[in-house]
């Protein structure tokens, strides 16, 4: 019992004195902002990533994420407040380890927990008494207990005695200038009382507010609820958009009117489909778990169906609008504006623009794109057969040469009056041209 107290008290003291070394595994969209929050709070951070090229860039003071500033990063490296490495054998040097690795779906749309499990094995290889391990990757309830705990227990060390374990979901919202890791309240659920206490102490230094959940599972379920809530509500407005389009009612105006209700309504907006690493994926972790327990998650599946249909809807509408001008999609020049999945980010993961590209190419459109944040199309797991493409300059000549300009992402950098002025036909899936006065007769929406 004394050994337990010693382990826990020692780590607690290190955290209190900001002498604990924070190790972040997975230096991506979630991991890097977390490093920024902990270093800003006065902790020394180690960063672990299997991608050596990312580690090299970071060590050279070069950020690969748009909203993480390279100069600030270079300073952290120079002052030795942040040490990125691909050497997992150094995990034993960290006192607190936070896991931020990907949680995708596999080809049959089941959870792919291989990244989490691989990371757990790496931690286990150097696990020592007095370490705290926190999983942040989004996943279904029970993952920490079922997929991480046994790997760590296999070392012979006891959770809650020798080392400590918790789950704390990441709520990063890339591109949102109003919130960053440090200003977003954090939910924390510990394996036991001590694990919960230590995690709350640690995060308490770096984030504005820590919300204690009573268990690992409550914290895990909380994140999935948040993401499912978004997926379902976006599906609702997407479905209504199709109906209101038919009725000649402007869905965006309807939402703007509805959101004047000061209670009981939160605005969600339609679009060309769902994108990003989270909303199109995470709810299906729960669907998989429900199936295992002989239950269904009908809302999630229906939302998935509605949202997944949106790119096809957009392409069908585009076909109709070109048809009005006696043009087939086949052979028409179409420019997609915005390959990132949402406004002002450089993240193309799961972006519906890729599905739009694929569908339009299949119908013979002559395609190109512009995205100020995505200079060249990266290789995507599910779109490996798309041709290599680079972002085109958004000049008057380029716009004028297109049969249709399809606005898929409403980046702030776009000058929409300019785009409308120089295009022959604009298909707007984001209500981005709402404020454009001149040339409205050229704008269609879907
Ligand atoms: N991006 C978001 O906005 C966001 C928001 C909330 C939650 N999340 C969740 O956070 C987790 C991470 O997402 P992300 O967007 O940061 O992903 P990311 O792809 O940007 O970063 C993950 C990093 O982990 C690295 N990695 C993969 N396997 C590894 C391993 N075994 N050891 C060490 N590093 C490894 C990859 O090289 C990559 O750099 C996911 O579960 C995601 O669902 C993401």
């Amino acid at each position: 019992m004394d050994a337990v107290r010693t382990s826990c008290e020692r780590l607690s003291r290190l955290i209190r004195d900001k002498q604990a070394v924070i190790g972040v595994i997975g230096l991506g969209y979630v991991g890097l902002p977390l490093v920024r929050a902990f270093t800003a709070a006065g902790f020394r951070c180690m960063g672990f990533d299997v991608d050596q090229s990312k580690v090299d860039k970071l060590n050279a003071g070069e950020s690969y994420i748009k909203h993480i500033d390279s100069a600030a990063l270079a300073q952290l490296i120079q002052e030795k407040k942040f040490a990125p490495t691909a050497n997992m054998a150094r995990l034993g040097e960290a006192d607190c380890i936070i896991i931020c690795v990907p949680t995708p779906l596999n080809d049959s749309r089941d959870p792919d927990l291989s990244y989490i499990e691989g990371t757990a094995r790496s931690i286990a290889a150097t696990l020592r008494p007095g370490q705290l391990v926190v999983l942040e990757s989004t996943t279904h309830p029970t993952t920490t207990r079922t997929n991480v705990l046994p790997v760590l227990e296999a070392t012979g060390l006891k959770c809650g005695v020798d080392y400590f374990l918790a789950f704390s979901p990441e709520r990063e919202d890339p591109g949102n200038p109003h919130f960053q890791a440090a200003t977003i309240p954090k939910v924390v659920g510990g394996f036991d009382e001590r694990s919960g206490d230590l995690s709350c102490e640690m995060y308490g230094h770096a984030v504005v507010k820590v919300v204690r959940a009573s268990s690992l599972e409550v914290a895990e379920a909380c994140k999935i609820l948040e993401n499912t809530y978004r997926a379902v509500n976006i599906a609702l407005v997407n479905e209504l958009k199709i109906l209101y389009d038919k009725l000649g009612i402007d869905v965006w105006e309807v939402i703007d009117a509805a959101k004047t209700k000061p209670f009981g309504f939160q605005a969600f907006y339609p679009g060309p489909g769902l994108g990003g690493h989270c909303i199109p994926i995470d709810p299906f972790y729960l669907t998989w778990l429900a199936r295992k327990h002989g239950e269904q998650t009908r809302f999630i599946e229906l939302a998935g169906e509605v949202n997944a249909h949106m790119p096809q809807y957009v392409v069908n509408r585009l076909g109709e609008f070109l048809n009005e001008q006696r043009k087939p999609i086949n052979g028409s020049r179409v420019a997609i504006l915005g390959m990132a999945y949402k406004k002002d980010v450089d993240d193309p993961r799961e972006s519906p623009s890729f599905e739009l590209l694929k569908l339009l190419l299949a119908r013979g459109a002559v395609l190109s794109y512009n995205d100020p944040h995505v200079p060249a199309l990266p290789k995507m797991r599910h779109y490996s057969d798309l041709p290599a493409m680079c972002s085109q300059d958004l000049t008057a000549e380029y716009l004028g040469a297109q049969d249709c300009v399809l606005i898929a992402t409403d980046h702030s950098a776009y000058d929409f009056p300019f785009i409308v002025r120089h295009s022959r036909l604009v298909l707007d899936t984001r209500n981005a041209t709402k404020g454009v006065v001149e040339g409205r007769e050229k704008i269609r929406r879907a």
Side-chain angles (χ1 to χ4, degrees):
M1 203 59 201
D2 275 351
V4 186
R5 204 173 305 125
T6 317
S7 246
C8 182
E9 278 174 2
R10 187 181 160 276
L11 183 54
S12 175
R13 199 172 47 248
L14 285 175
I15 293 172
R16 195 177 52 239
D17 298 343
K18 300 188 180 178
Q19 293 302 311
V21 175
I22 312 288
V24 175
I25 310 183
L27 301 172
Y29 284 90
V30 166
L32 272 187
L34 206 57
V35 166
R36 183 170 61 182
F38 275 103
T39 49
F43 287 87
R44 205 157 62 74
C45 284
M46 294 182 72
F48 297 87
D49 203 294
V50 285
D51 186 337
Q52 183 68 52
S53 68
K54 283 188 175 173
V55 169
D56 291 343
K57 279 196 180 129
L58 293 173
N59 276 316
E62 208 184 301
S63 167
Y64 39 77
I65 292 182
K66 195 172 74 71
H67 53 282
I68 299 282
D69 178 48
S70 286
L73 185 73
Q75 192 175 347
L76 290 177
I77 301 277
Q78 198 198 350
E79 292 172 355
K80 303 205 182 319
K81 290 181 180 160
F82 175 37
T85 176
N87 183 1
M88 299 295 151
R90 292 186 59 195
L91 275 164
E93 294 175 37
D95 300 295
C96 305
I97 298 173
I98 305 178
I99 307 171
C100 309
V101 294
T103 41
L105 295 171
N106 64 19
D107 289 340
S108 41
R109 296 194 69 72
D110 289 338
D112 176 358
L113 294 175
S114 60
Y115 297 87
I116 291 183
E117 289 168 347
T119 305
R121 284 193 294 275
S122 302
I123 296 170
T126 59
L127 190 67
R128 60 168 170 80
Q131 277 188 311
L132 167 67
V133 178
V134 186
L135 178 61
E136 285 213 9
S137 301
T138 306
T139 181
H140 56 74
T142 67
T143 304
T144 314
R145 201 178 295 276
T146 311
N147 300 75
V148 178
L149 181 65
V151 181
L152 303 184
E153 292 286 88
T155 59
L157 295 174
K158 278 235 94 33
C159 190
V161 175
D162 302 309
Y163 71 95
F164 307 94
L165 181 63
F167 182 85
S168 177
E170 183 47 59
R171 285 169 159 169
E172 189 66 14
D173 187 16
N176 184 337
H178 305 296
F179 292 100
Q180 42 181 273
T183 58
I184 304 171
K186 206 139 180 32
V187 171
V188 173
F191 166 80
D192 63 336
E193 205 60 18
R194 285 193 184 87
S195 299
D197 288 347
L198 288 166
S199 310
C200 287
E201 280 176 44
M202 174 185 76
Y203 285 117
H205 286 287
V207 304
V208 64
K209 183 175 177 190
V210 180
V211 181
R212 179 81 170 256
S214 63
S215 66
L216 295 167
E217 288 75 16
V218 169
E220 291 167 329
C222 161
K223 174 67 184 182
I224 295 268
L225 169 63
E226 291 168 21
N227 284 358
T228 300
Y229 172 78
R230 280 190 64 74
V232 167
N233 280 289
I234 292 169
L236 176 65
V237 288
N238 274 336
E239 187 170 79
L240 290 181
K241 174 174 79 167
I242 296 175
L243 173 65
Y244 287 175
D245 265 358
K246 264 226 159 107
L247 299 175
I249 300 169
D250 179 339
V251 70
W252 282 278
E253 195 185 337
V254 173
I255 295 167
D256 282 347
K259 78 177 187 197
T260 59
K261 185 178 176 185
F263 48 84
F265 182 83
Q266 193 191 343
F268 287 87
Y269 295 95
L274 272 190
H277 189 299
C278 298
I279 315 296
I281 292 178
D282 304 341
F284 292 96
Y285 270 63
L286 202 54
T287 298
W288 174 86
L289 186 68
R291 265 204 314 275
K292 260 185 74 179
H293 288 268
E295 294 294 338
Q296 277 183 299
T297 49
R298 284 175 291 168
F299 263 112
I300 295 178
E301 284 169 68
L302 186 58
E305 231 175 84
V306 172
N307 289 327
H309 171 68
M310 293 318 290
Q312 184 65 62
Y313 172 72
V314 170
V315 169
N316 291 348
R317 294 292 279 162
L318 188 143
E320 289 164 19
F321 297 135
L322 281 175
N323 194 47
E324 285 171 4
Q325 308 190 348
R326 299 164 196 253
K327 290 176 187 168
I329 291 181
N330 197 344
S332 285
R333 298 176 74 89
V334 179
I336 295 183
L337 303 195
M339 292 306 295
Y341 77 91
K342 72 168 183 176
K343 188 177 180 149
D344 301 341
V345 302
D346 57 356
D347 186 354
R349 287 177 296 177
E350 307 294 324
S351 171
S353 299
F354 285 83
E355 190 62 22
L356 291 170
L357 255 176
K358 188 180 104 176
L359 292 171
L360 285 165
L361 281 173
R363 293 213 195 173
V366 181
L367 266 172
S368 57
Y369 85 92
N370 168 277
D371 191 317
H373 308 298
V374 184
L377 288 193
K379 273 274 162 239
M380 306 289 281
R381 212 153 74 123
H382 301 299
Y383 296 98
S384 49
D385 45 359
L386 286 180
M389 290 169 91
C390 289
S391 177
Q392 303 297 306
D393 288 344
L394 213 51
T395 60
E397 296 68 40
Y398 171 68
L399 289 166
Q402 306 302 317
D403 294 295
C404 183
V405 171
L406 169 50
I407 301 172
T409 313
D410 49 344
H411 290 308
S412 306
Y414 285 141
D415 178 346
F416 290 110
F418 174 87
I419 289 167
V420 173
R421 191 175 320 124
H422 296 288
S423 302
R424 288 188 256 172
L425 173 67
V426 175
L427 181 51
D428 180 1
T429 66
R430 300 280 190 179
N431 201 25
T433 54
K434 180 182 168 191
V436 175
V437 179
E438 195 191 319
R440 289 212 66 81
E441 70 286 354
K442 295 188 263 182
I443 303 172
R444 304 286 184 278
R445 290 195 295 189

